[in-house]
C-alpha cells in the first residue's frame, strides 16, 4: 500500500512570512526530551504505517505525536482518535497547516499526501525549522528536489528525507555488508523487478496517471522502491537505455517500462516496472562472482525473503556464514524512522536525503529521457536547462500533456503551463 494510492490531499501551506517567523523561534535542542511530530495527510498510509511506528517510538520515549493535519476535518479527527488509542500521543487535529506550525512548533513532520503537494509542504516545514520525512516519490521532478535541498539547514539540519523503508532491516543490512566487503566477489549481473497490477478503477482517481500530480507512472510511483534498493546495494549507476509504453491504461504517463542500466562498478542490470502484471511480485537479484543473492517479496521483506545461492566451489563453512542474517528485523517504516530519529539527535544528515535520496530520482529521470528520446543517457547529464530536469516527461512529443485532451477524467495541459503551476 502506498501513499499515492490511498491518501487524501492536504493543500494548506504556511506563508513565507509566517514560516520565517516560526523559524526564528525554533524549538530548543533535542537532547533530553521527546521529538515533537506532526503528520500531514491522515489517509491510509499515515494510519497503517506511520502511526504504528510513531506509537512504538513513543513507547520507547523517543517521540510525541502533537498534530495531525488534513483538509478533511473528519479524517484528521479520525486520525486523532486512532492515535489516542495508542502510545503515540494526543495529536491535535488541524485543517490549516499554517496554524499548526504556529501553535505546535514540531521538530519533525511526516508527509503522507499526494506527490503534487510534497514540494510546497516540505519547503514550508523546512522553513519552519522542522525536519521532514516524506513519502515517495518525494517530488515530481529534479528541479523540485533541488528547490527542497536549497531550503535545508547547512549545519545540523533541518533536513528532508524520503520514505525508502526497503533499505532498512536486517536482510538489507546483511547483504549490503557482504557486497561492500566483496565477500561473494564482484557484483556482475542484476535485476530489479516491480511487476504489479492496477485496474481501470485505480486510475479513475483524478490525480493518478498524470504528470503534474503524480510525477510519473509505475517507474516513479511503484518501482522507485526496488530501484532505490538496488542503488543502495550496488552504488552509483553510469548509464541507462530504456523503453516505455502505454499498453493498457488511458493515462498521460507510462504503464510499463524496461531499462538496461550499467553501474559505475561495471555491473549490468535490467529494470522492469509494470502495473499490468496479475501475478504481482517485487524482486531484486544480484549475481556475484561467487554467489547469487535474491530478494522476493511484494510490499516488504524479512530475512526469509532473502536467498543466497553459493557457487559450486564455495566452501560450506563460508556459505553458511553468508546465510547468517542475525535476528529478523523486517523492513518497515519503524526501522527507518528509528534511524531518522537517531540522526536528528546527532544533528547529522539522515540516509535517503540529499544526494543519497536524489540518486533514485536521477535514475528515473534518465529512464524517461532515454525512453522518450531513444538515446542512451549518462549519469549527471540531466541538469538545469535540460527539459527532463524540469519535468519527468521532458516535453517529449507523445508524452507531454496536451491542451484540452481528456485523459483519466481530467484535462491535460501543456508542459509550459505545468512548469509554471
Amino acid at each position: 500500500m502506498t501513499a499515492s494510492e490511498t491518501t487524501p490531499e492536504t493543500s494548506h501551506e504556511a506563508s513565507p512570512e509566517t514560516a520565517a517567523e516560526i523559524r526564528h523561534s525554533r524549538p530548543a535542542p533535542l537532547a533530553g526530551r521527546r521529538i515533537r511530530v506532526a503528520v500531514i495527510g491522515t489517509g491510509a498510509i499515515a494510519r497503517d504505517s506511520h502511526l504504528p511506528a510513531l506509537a512504538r517510538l513513543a513507547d520507547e520515549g523517543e517521540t510525541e505525536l502533537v498534530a495531525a493535519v488534513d483538509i478533511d476535518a473528519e479524517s484528521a479527527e479520525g486520525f486523532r482518535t486512532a492515535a489516542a488509542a495508542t502510545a503515540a500521543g494526543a495529536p491535535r487535529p488541524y485543517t490549516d497547516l499554517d496554524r499548526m506550525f504556529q501553535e505546535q512548533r514540531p521538530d519533525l513532520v511526516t508527509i503522507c499526501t499526494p506527490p503534487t503537494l510534497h514540494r510546497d509542504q516540505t519547503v514550508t516545514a523546512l522553513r519552519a525549522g522542522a525536519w521532514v520525512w516524506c513519502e515517495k516519490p518525494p517530488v515530481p521532478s529534479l528541479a523540485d528536489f533541488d528547490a527542497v535541498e536549497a531550503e535545508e539547514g547547512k549545519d545540523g539540519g533541518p533536513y528532508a528525507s524520503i520514505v525508502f523503508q526497503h533499505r532498512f532491516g536486517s536482510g538489507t543490512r546483511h547483504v549490503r555488508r557482504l557486497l561492500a566487503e566483496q565477500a561473494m566477489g564482484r557484483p556482475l549481473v542484476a535485476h530489479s523487478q516491480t511487476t504489479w497490477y492496477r485496474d481501470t478503477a485505480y486510475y479513475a482517481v483524478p490525480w493518478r496517471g498524470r504528470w503534474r500530480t503524480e510525477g510519473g507512472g509505475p517507474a516513479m510511483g511503484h518501482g522507485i522502491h526496488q530501484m532505490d534498493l538496488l542503488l543502495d546495494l550496488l552504488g552509483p549507476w553510469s548509464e541507462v537505455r530504456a523503453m516505455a509504453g502505454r499498453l493498457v491504461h488511458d493515462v498521460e504517463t507510462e504503464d510499463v517500462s524496461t531499462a538496461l542500466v550499467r553501474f559505475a562498478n561495471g555491473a549490468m542490470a535490467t529494470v522492469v516496472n509494470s502495473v499490468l502484471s496479475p501475478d504481482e511480485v517485487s524482486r531484486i537479484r544480484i549475481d556475484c562472482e561467487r554467489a547469487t543473492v535474491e530478494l522476493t517479496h511484494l510490499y516488504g521483506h524479512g530475512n526469509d525473503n532473502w536467498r543466497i545461492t553459493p557457487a559450486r566451489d564455495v566452501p560450506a563453512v563460508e556459505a553458511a556464514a553468508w546465510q547468517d542474517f542475525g535476528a529478523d528485523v523486517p523492513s518497515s517504516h519503524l526501522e527507518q524512522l528509528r534511524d531518522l530519529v537517531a540522526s536528528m539527535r546527532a544533528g547529522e544528515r539522515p540516509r535517503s536525503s540529499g544526494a543519497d535520496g536524489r540518486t533514485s530520482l536521477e535514475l528515473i529521470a534518465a529512464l524517461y529521457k532515454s525512453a522518450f528520446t531513444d538515446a542512451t543517457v549518462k549519469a549527471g547529464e540531466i541538469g538545469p536547462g535540460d527539459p527532463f530536469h524540469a519535468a519527468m516527461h521532458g516535453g517529449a512529443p507523445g508524452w507531454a500533456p496536451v491542451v484540452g485532451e481528456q485523459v483519466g477524467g481530467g484535462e491535460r495541459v501543456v508542459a509550459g503551463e505545468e512548469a509554471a503551476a
Side-chain angles (χ1 to χ4, degrees):
M1 183 176 295
T2 67
S4 59
E5 292 176 65
T6 57
T7 311
E9 294 193 5
T10 305
S11 59
H12 299 288
E13 62 170 304
S15 66
E17 295 79 9
T18 301
E21 182 180 312
I22 295 170
R23 191 171 208 171
H24 183 68
S25 56
R26 287 182 60 182
L30 301 175
R33 67 177 181 86
R34 292 174 182 262
I35 290 173
R36 295 168 56 81
V37 184
V39 173
I40 304 175
T42 56
I45 195 70
R47 298 187 190 204
D48 296 343
S49 297
H50 288 248
L51 181 55
L54 288 166
R56 178 66 176 273
L57 289 186
D59 189 56
E60 296 173 6
E62 291 286 354
T63 62
E64 176 187 8
L65 184 56
V66 298
V69 190
D70 202 292
I71 57 172
D72 183 340
E74 186 175 338
S75 179
E77 176 61 29
F79 187 88
R80 183 200 68 78
T81 301
T86 73
R92 180 173 176 179
Y94 289 87
T95 57
D96 188 301
L97 192 59
D98 181 89
R99 181 180 177 188
M100 186 279 290
F101 277 115
Q102 287 180 321
E103 295 182 353
Q104 298 298 333
R105 305 290 203 276
D107 306 303
L108 170 68
V109 299
T110 74
I111 297 179
C112 306
T113 53
T116 188
L117 305 173
H118 289 175
R119 170 181 167 164
D120 288 347
Q121 292 173 343
T122 299
V123 166
T124 296
L126 291 169
R127 288 178 177 175
W131 293 52
V132 176
W133 193 38
C134 183
E135 281 289 339
K136 57 81 189 165
V139 285
S141 72
L142 289 172
D144 290 327
F145 195 93
D146 292 344
V148 166
E149 275 199 290
E151 297 292 342
E152 292 184 317
K154 305 305 179 186
D155 184 17
Y159 299 114
S161 59
I162 310 163
V163 178
F164 281 144
Q165 75 274 16
H166 290 208
R167 290 189 184 194
F168 297 81
S170 53
T172 301
R173 183 169 56 247
H174 177 64
V175 171
R176 186 189 301 110
R177 180 182 61 80
L178 292 177
L179 290 169
E181 296 173 354
Q182 293 199 359
M184 301 175 293
R186 292 181 299 120
L188 304 172
V189 184
H191 179 61
S192 170
Q193 177 183 352
T194 305
T195 44
W196 294 358
Y197 185 79
R198 298 294 182 265
D199 59 16
T200 302
Y202 173 83
Y203 284 104
V205 177
W207 56 268
R208 289 186 182 140
R210 302 178 68 187
W211 293 106
R212 183 169 60 177
T213 49
E214 197 167 15
M220 187 74 151
H222 304 84
I224 189 171
H225 274 304
Q226 297 314 298
M227 288 188 286
D228 179 75
L229 178 55
L230 186 69
L231 290 166
D232 189 52
L233 294 173
L234 289 185
W237 61 276
S238 60
E239 61 180 332
V240 60
R241 190 73 169 82
M243 294 188 295
R246 301 185 192 101
L247 302 187
V248 173
H249 297 292
D250 183 18
V251 292
E252 290 181 349
T253 64
E254 87 286 4
D255 57 15
V256 62
S257 68
T258 63
L260 303 176
V261 182
R262 190 188 306 275
F263 284 80
N265 61 15
M268 300 175 65
T270 60
V271 177
V272 180
N273 301 302
S274 164
V275 288
L276 311 178
S277 310
D279 184 11
E280 297 185 290
V281 69
S282 303
R283 180 175 291 122
I284 294 284
R285 174 180 169 131
I286 302 173
D287 296 319
C288 299
E289 292 175 300
R290 306 180 66 218
T292 292
V293 182
E294 189 168 13
L295 167 66
T296 304
H297 66 113
L298 188 54
Y299 297 136
H301 53 84
N303 288 353
D304 289 346
N305 297 110
W306 292 86
R307 184 177 65 183
I308 299 179
T309 303
R312 296 183 183 90
D313 60 348
V314 173
V317 173
E318 190 173 6
W322 295 345
Q323 305 290 348
D324 184 8
F325 284 76
D328 189 14
V329 181
S331 67
S332 66
H333 282 68
L334 172 62
E335 288 310 303
Q336 183 174 1
L337 183 58
R338 182 174 279 128
D339 191 85
L340 172 58
V341 165
S343 295
M344 290 180 67
R345 294 198 182 281
E348 298 173 348
R349 177 175 287 282
R351 292 180 61 197
S352 75
S353 72
D356 182 45
R358 196 178 194 271
T359 181
S360 57
L361 208 62
E362 289 177 321
L363 177 58
I364 293 167
L367 184 156
Y368 283 136
K369 182 175 182 178
S370 175
F372 300 163
T373 64
D374 193 29
T376 297
V377 177
K378 305 288 187 179
E381 78 172 58
I382 302 178
D386 189 304
F388 288 89
H389 181 263
M392 287 291 175
H393 56 69
W399 290 99
V402 178
V403 173
E405 186 174 342
Q406 296 292 323
V407 174
E411 185 177 278
R412 288 179 174 177
V413 296
V414 296
E417 290 176 347
E418 279 203 319

